[in-house]
Amino acid sequence: MEQRTEDPLETAETPGGGRLLRQPPAVWATAGASVVAFMGIGLVDPILPSIAQGLDATPSQVSLLFTSYFLITAVAMLVTGFVSSRIGGKRTLLAGLALVVVFAALAGTSDSVGELVGFRAGWGLGNALFVSTSLAVIVGAAAGGSAAAILLYESALGLGMACGPLLGALLGDASWRYPFFGTAALMAIGFACIAVFLKEQPRPARKTSLLDPVKALGHGGLASAAAAAFFYNYAFFTVLAFTPFVLNMTPYRSGAVFFAWGVLLAVFSVLVAPRLQRRLGSLTVLAGSLVLLAADVLVLGYGDHTTAVVCTVLSGAFIGVNNTVFTELALGVSDAPRPVASAGYNFVRWFAAAAAPYLAPKIEEWSDARMPFVVAALAAVVGAGIVVVRRASLTHDAREQAPKHATEDGVNAFAS
């Protein structure tokens, strides 16, 4: 029988119960900085056309902002555990925040698309160090148990993904440079808050090696989850990075579309996905959501402008469900320590996030604007196929690990 996961909303105490919102200042400081970190992912969405115009660049060149960011993030996943297990969680967070502040500010000063792409790569390294460590810090410092910490973290993720495009639109309407300066300022505030409020976290008894995440992928279930997530992420980031060029809207309008997209992502990730999993099982929900995402993306590519807007927003619901279920699956399917399993899983899947923003505009150049969405839909279907075909390896060890990870499986949807 397929594993059904625990709903953190039912195991965590609610604000009315007095525990969920009564968190130490260190938790709120880390969660607030996490919101800004996740905002950085979708920040450039509404201003991609403005950046292309301002720097006289093509869509494929501007899309490299995502490619460089996630390519470095993918490689950095092999390093973050190595670093944090040696210098501690607080220092790793501060190092990541410092890099984001520096490179986000430098991005705002760019005079060419090449400079901007390079600075986004440095930003990606800082974000990887911060995001991969922030969950462990929140779990370690939160009151009310790990279920409350998971809920706070996933809420920060959703809020950041929703507000990133909105901030990009508000600041980017005046100049495409301002969102980068704004992010640097917000992360500097986060740096100061964490430096003041967060105490150093206990270091793990065993230091993580650079090869541990790769070795963890030798587990069939984790490798299958990573492979399915790779194809899912290709579809996800085709929507995120290529759709703004297809919609061709002002920063305000594009920001509003992706804000609505982010709200759906947050709601379905935190509220809907856990309930669906409890009723239907993780793999059934995941395979179904991937197929629905494929259909949505296909209609997005072939519909008129209004249909494209609606399907863009609606995709946030499927992406929210997929993010939560994939993360729980990756962290619960093997006996590897959660940070190591997460690093190996993300090492694989973030390569798709780097590939899709570059390939989608290229595919359009070779064919037409519909074909990138056809390829994205096929990728989502392949991901669903892997989930179905590898069902046995994805459920066997997950069931054995369920008691051990019962309240901690749903963590890290983007560090995740």
Side-chain angles (χ1 to χ4, degrees):
M1 185 175 178
E2 186 185 328
Q3 175 195 8
R4 282 163 170 75
T5 58
E6 195 173 47
D7 187 349
L9 290 175
E10 295 188 0
T11 57
E13 291 192 46
T14 64
R19 292 292 296 276
L20 183 59
L21 297 181
R22 294 181 183 176
Q23 299 295 337
V27 172
W28 291 118
T30 307
S34 298
V35 171
V36 181
F38 292 124
M39 285 171 60
I41 295 175
L43 180 81
V44 299
D45 252 35
I47 57 173
L48 286 175
S50 299
I51 294 174
Q53 183 177 1
L55 295 178
D56 192 26
T58 64
S60 59
Q61 288 175 321
V62 173
S63 293
L64 289 174
L65 293 175
F66 286 100
T67 297
S68 63
Y69 182 92
F70 287 113
L71 184 62
I72 295 300
T73 297
V75 176
M77 286 297 161
L78 300 180
V79 179
T80 53
F82 177 88
V83 172
S84 64
S85 66
R86 284 162 175 78
I87 68 173
K90 180 177 180 178
R91 291 179 181 177
T92 305
L93 289 179
L94 293 176
L97 287 170
L99 286 172
V100 172
V101 170
V102 170
F103 283 104
L106 288 173
T109 68
S110 301
D111 292 322
S112 69
V113 70
E115 286 184 4
L116 186 54
V117 168
F119 292 142
R120 277 283 284 184
W123 185 344
L125 174 60
N127 217 49
L129 288 171
F130 175 82
V131 171
S132 64
T133 309
S134 60
L135 174 70
V137 170
I138 290 176
V139 169
S146 56
I150 291 166
L151 185 57
L152 287 171
Y153 186 83
E154 291 189 346
S155 298
L157 185 154
L159 184 61
M161 292 295 290
C163 292
L166 194 61
L167 179 66
L170 293 174
L171 297 179
D173 190 60
S175 170
W176 65 263
R177 300 180 186 274
Y178 290 169
F180 298 108
F181 293 138
T183 299
L186 289 172
M187 286 304 245
I189 295 172
F191 182 98
C193 291
I194 287 176
V196 171
F197 294 115
L198 181 63
K199 296 179 180 180
E200 184 55 82
Q201 303 294 296
R203 301 183 190 181
R206 177 182 176 275
K207 293 180 179 178
T208 301
S209 78
L210 292 174
L211 293 180
D212 281 351
V214 177
K215 293 177 181 177
L217 291 170
H219 184 279
L222 183 60
S224 299
F230 176 91
F231 289 100
Y232 155 62
N233 262 32
Y234 185 93
F236 174 4
F237 284 93
T238 296
V239 173
L240 190 63
F242 183 66
T243 303
F245 293 107
V246 175
L247 298 180
N248 194 26
M249 304 167 81
T250 65
Y252 274 127
R253 291 177 180 272
S254 182
V257 169
F258 279 96
F259 173 73
W261 168 87
V263 169
L264 275 187
L265 187 154
V267 169
F268 275 75
S269 176
V270 176
L271 300 178
V272 177
R275 287 171 167 77
L276 289 176
Q277 288 174 269
R278 288 174 53 248
R279 293 182 181 182
L280 303 175
S282 295
L283 299 187
T284 300
V285 170
L286 185 58
S289 183
L290 285 169
V291 171
L292 290 174
L293 176 63
D296 179 81
V297 169
L298 199 61
V299 175
L300 193 164
Y302 278 86
D304 58 20
H305 189 269
T306 300
T307 302
V309 169
V310 172
C311 288
T312 299
V313 173
L314 185 59
S315 69
F318 307 125
I319 289 170
V321 171
N322 291 333
N323 283 347
T324 295
V325 181
F326 262 122
T327 299
E328 295 179 2
L329 190 63
L331 298 182
V333 74
S334 75
D335 58 359
R338 281 182 292 273
V340 173
S342 176
Y345 161 75
N346 283 291
F347 173 68
V348 174
R349 75 167 186 139
W350 284 127
F351 277 110
Y358 175 74
L359 290 177
K362 288 293 185 184
I363 293 171
E364 181 194 24
E365 293 173 7
W366 300 332
S367 53
D368 57 42
R370 296 174 176 176
M371 191 54 62
F373 295 104
V374 174
V375 174
L378 289 174
V381 170
V382 171
I386 293 174
V387 170
V388 173
V389 172
R390 299 289 295 170
R391 189 181 190 92
S393 66
L394 288 170
T395 55
H396 176 70
D397 289 336
R399 190 184 311 115
E400 295 178 358
Q401 294 295 319
K404 180 179 177 181
H405 296 302
T407 60
E408 299 184 25
D409 280 353
V411 299
N412 213 1
F414 262 87
S416 88

